Amino acid sequence: MTVDVLATLPGLAQRLGGDGAHLAAAERLSGGASMETWAFAVDGPGGHEDLILRRRSAPFDPDTARSVSLATEAALIQATGARGAPVPTIRHLCDDADGLGEAYVMGRVEGETLGRRIVGDAKFDAVRGRLARQCGEVLVPIHATPPLPGLNLKVSDGEGELNRYEEVYRASGAERPILDLAFQYLRRRLPTPVEPVLLHGDFRNGNIMFDAEKGVAAVLDWELSHIGDPAEDMGWICTNSWRFGRPDRPVGGFGDYADLLDGYQAAGGRPIELSRVRFWQMLGSLRWGVMCLTMYLSWANGIERSVERPMIGRRVSETEADLVVLLEEGL
Amino acid sequence: MITHPRTEELAEAVGAWIDQIRPSLDPRNAFLARVAANAMATIGRELTLGPVAEARAIHAMAEVLGHEGTHGELNHALCGRIQAGEFTVETPGLLAALKVMARDQIAIDQPNYKPEGTPPPSAA
């Protein structure tokens, strides 16, 4: 289904702003491969409002994509926000009348999401040293949010994740010795089970809005939210694919493990061992490698013909280059 | 292979043309054009660096496995030994061989990528 979003936004602007409201600006922000993000503004009787439209552009397949619906995503943002997590305000959940398919509108939060800028831009020099600790702190209210009834979030643990990604890897037909060795290695070192909690599921540099003065401004991109080991969210932000050229700073390319763990514990989170984070970090590289294979396959199978997809397939080797070092170092 | 032009030169020319028209495109297509130019650069690197990388991978895998074969045969055998649990991180020479292969592949796919263990950039 192709939707002309630009042609649809004036109607949405009127619906949101009331009688006399009109669309003041609209621009597609380049971003994800399966999700579209549009910045737009509404001028109306109530004044000027800067908004973000998030809509799914690729077919929704809960089995392979693992994503939650955008309605669930909006519900999670509201629930974690109520617990004190920094998240945007949900403004409107789109319905059939909007003609935009699966989509919602949220208030625009000012800040930076481009990982490379947060890691390298001088603008963030002053705040950078505080970010890892803040990331630990903001995970606490997220993990403390009781999973909402009726959302049917997937529940998983280390073994479940390995099973899931190994199945996808085997089905792909790809033969990559480093991925095979990483699966074997992690299976032999499964962490002891813990009480599962609500996870953001994609908590990494790139999905967090940072302000150059106050640090974390909002946690975005909730589509992979699920229930599992709290160390999973920590390991993912430590995965080198999201350090943007600064592997020497393990947390997001901006901070150290100790700050992330201390921030979590100081804000009331249960203490988590570094080796447990490292397990999930390594599984993070492996998971990203398998996800890259999946993106290539979606192109090879004709589901998504964008040139972006096969090129992401060539990012498997970045995870192999990382995994082989992690296999040498150990957890 | 003929040399006037070599295949990697064709890839280079296409990549340069994509870069040239990029500023005239809308944001989404400008993004995709950048991806396309990167793809041409990857093709160019594979054409120039690929043969040496493949020869080195064949040598490394044959060494660990103790037998000869094509790249495909050795790679298949290596994955099989790991899956069967016969090869582990303790297997002499395995991680060293895999590291050579990984470094050669990243040099083709993303030469600017900084893998785990890369020291911080020097202050200079």
Side-chain angles (χ1 to χ4, degrees):
Chain A
M1 178 183 64
T2 307
V3 171
D4 186 349
V5 176
L6 274 179
T8 315
L9 283 176
L12 180 65
Q14 207 160 51
R15 186 172 179 188
L16 293 172
D19 281 344
H22 65 272
L23 183 67
E27 172 193 18
R28 180 170 174 176
L29 308 174
S30 72
S34 56
M35 207 66 80
E36 278 179 18
T37 307
W38 294 76
F40 70 108
V42 177
D43 276 333
H48 180 88
E49 203 178 0
D50 287 314
L51 298 165
I52 295 286
L53 172 76
R54 189 161 153 80
R55 69 177 292 272
R56 196 180 303 280
S57 52
F60 181 44
D61 182 348
D63 292 330
T64 58
R66 170 169 213 169
S67 317
V68 299
S69 70
L70 285 177
T72 296
E73 196 175 306
L76 288 168
I77 289 171
Q78 285 170 320
T80 54
R83 300 286 298 207
V87 289
T89 307
I90 299 296
R91 181 71 170 74
H92 173 69
L93 187 61
C94 293
D95 55 27
D96 290 347
D98 294 312
L100 283 160
E102 208 192 327
Y104 66 82
V105 177
M106 57 186 159
R108 200 185 304 178
V109 180
E110 293 302 322
E112 181 62 73
T113 58
L114 285 178
R116 195 164 290 283
R117 288 200 192 144
I118 292 146
V119 166
D121 198 307
K123 200 174 124 184
F124 288 92
D125 282 354
V127 81
R128 194 174 294 118
R130 309 207 311 262
L131 301 182
R133 188 179 178 88
Q134 288 187 5
C135 285
E137 288 166 358
V138 304
L139 280 175
V140 174
I142 295 171
H143 292 173
T145 302
L148 301 161
L151 292 185
N152 294 320
L153 295 175
K154 293 192 172 76
V155 184
S156 197
D157 58 9
E159 188 175 16
E161 291 295 281
L162 285 171
N163 289 344
R164 164 186 183 78
Y165 288 106
E166 187 160 1
E167 192 182 329
V168 175
Y169 167 61
R170 299 267 170 256
S172 76
E175 293 189 309
R176 312 288 288 244
I178 295 172
L179 301 191
D180 275 310
L181 191 59
F183 277 116
Q184 184 211 72
Y185 182 91
L186 291 170
R187 277 191 188 286
R188 294 177 180 191
R189 288 161 183 82
L190 293 174
T192 50
V194 285
E195 193 186 327
V197 299
L198 178 70
L199 301 177
H200 176 272
D202 202 2
F203 191 75
R204 64 167 175 87
N205 190 5
N207 289 338
I208 303 165
M209 180 80 80
F210 290 104
D211 178 272
E213 265 132 50
K214 66 185 180 81
V216 176
V219 181
L220 310 172
D221 295 323
W222 288 75
E223 64 181 291
L224 298 179
S225 183
H226 60 282
I227 294 164
D229 185 336
E232 181 182 336
D233 273 342
M234 293 187 173
W236 188 230
I237 198 173
C238 294
T239 296
N240 191 38
S241 289
W242 316 120
R243 291 187 205 153
F244 299 93
R246 288 305 299 263
D248 55 306
R249 300 185 195 137
V251 182
F254 49 69
D256 292 325
Y257 291 119
D259 291 327
L260 177 73
L261 294 169
D262 288 352
Y264 190 76
Q265 200 172 336
R270 284 193 193 159
I272 292 176
E273 284 173 11
L274 177 58
S275 62
R276 197 176 187 98
V277 174
R278 295 265 298 175
F279 171 91
W280 283 102
Q281 177 193 323
M282 191 165 162
L283 179 43
S285 282
L286 184 54
R287 164 193 177 190
W288 175 235
V290 174
M291 286 166 78
C292 291
L293 275 177
T294 308
M295 302 238 199
Y296 156 70
L297 286 173
S298 72
W299 176 85
N301 296 334
I303 296 164
E304 169 65 69
R305 297 301 287 180
S306 159
V307 64
E308 198 185 354
R309 294 301 180 104
M311 273 304 276
I312 293 176
R314 279 295 177 109
R315 290 189 66 179
V316 178
S317 55
E318 81 183 35
T319 70
E320 292 171 325
D322 289 332
L323 286 167
V324 78
V325 174
L326 294 174
L327 287 163
E328 278 180 338
E329 291 175 350
L331 298 181
Chain B
M1 286 296 157
I2 60 164
T3 59
H4 289 67
R6 298 190 308 275
T7 323
E8 57 266 33
E9 289 176 311
L10 291 179
E12 183 187 340
V14 175
W17 173 73
I18 295 170
D19 276 336
Q20 194 189 321
I21 62 159
R22 261 172 53 200
S24 66
L25 301 173
D26 64 78
R28 178 65 184 161
N29 278 313
F31 168 73
L32 292 174
R34 187 158 58 84
V35 175
N38 287 342
M40 298 316 293
T42 301
I43 291 167
R45 287 189 298 269
E46 180 147 328
L47 287 165
T48 51
L49 306 174
V52 170
E54 182 164 309
R56 202 151 36 203
I58 288 171
H59 179 76
M61 290 192 288
E63 194 92 331
V64 176
L65 286 162
H67 63 78
E68 303 295 315
T70 65
H71 184 277
E73 289 162 357
L74 293 167
N75 189 61
H76 180 74
L78 191 54
C79 287
R81 299 290 289 272
I82 295 167
Q83 279 169 43
E86 295 162 14
F87 279 7
T88 71
V89 285
E90 313 290 340
T91 302
L94 178 62
L95 280 176
L98 292 176
K99 198 168 183 177
V100 167
M101 292 157 62
R103 291 293 161 106
D104 281 346
Q105 190 61 44
I106 199 73
I108 292 170
D109 291 341
Q110 284 186 86
N112 293 326
Y113 187 74
K114 304 275 185 297
E116 282 279 0
T118 309
S122 61

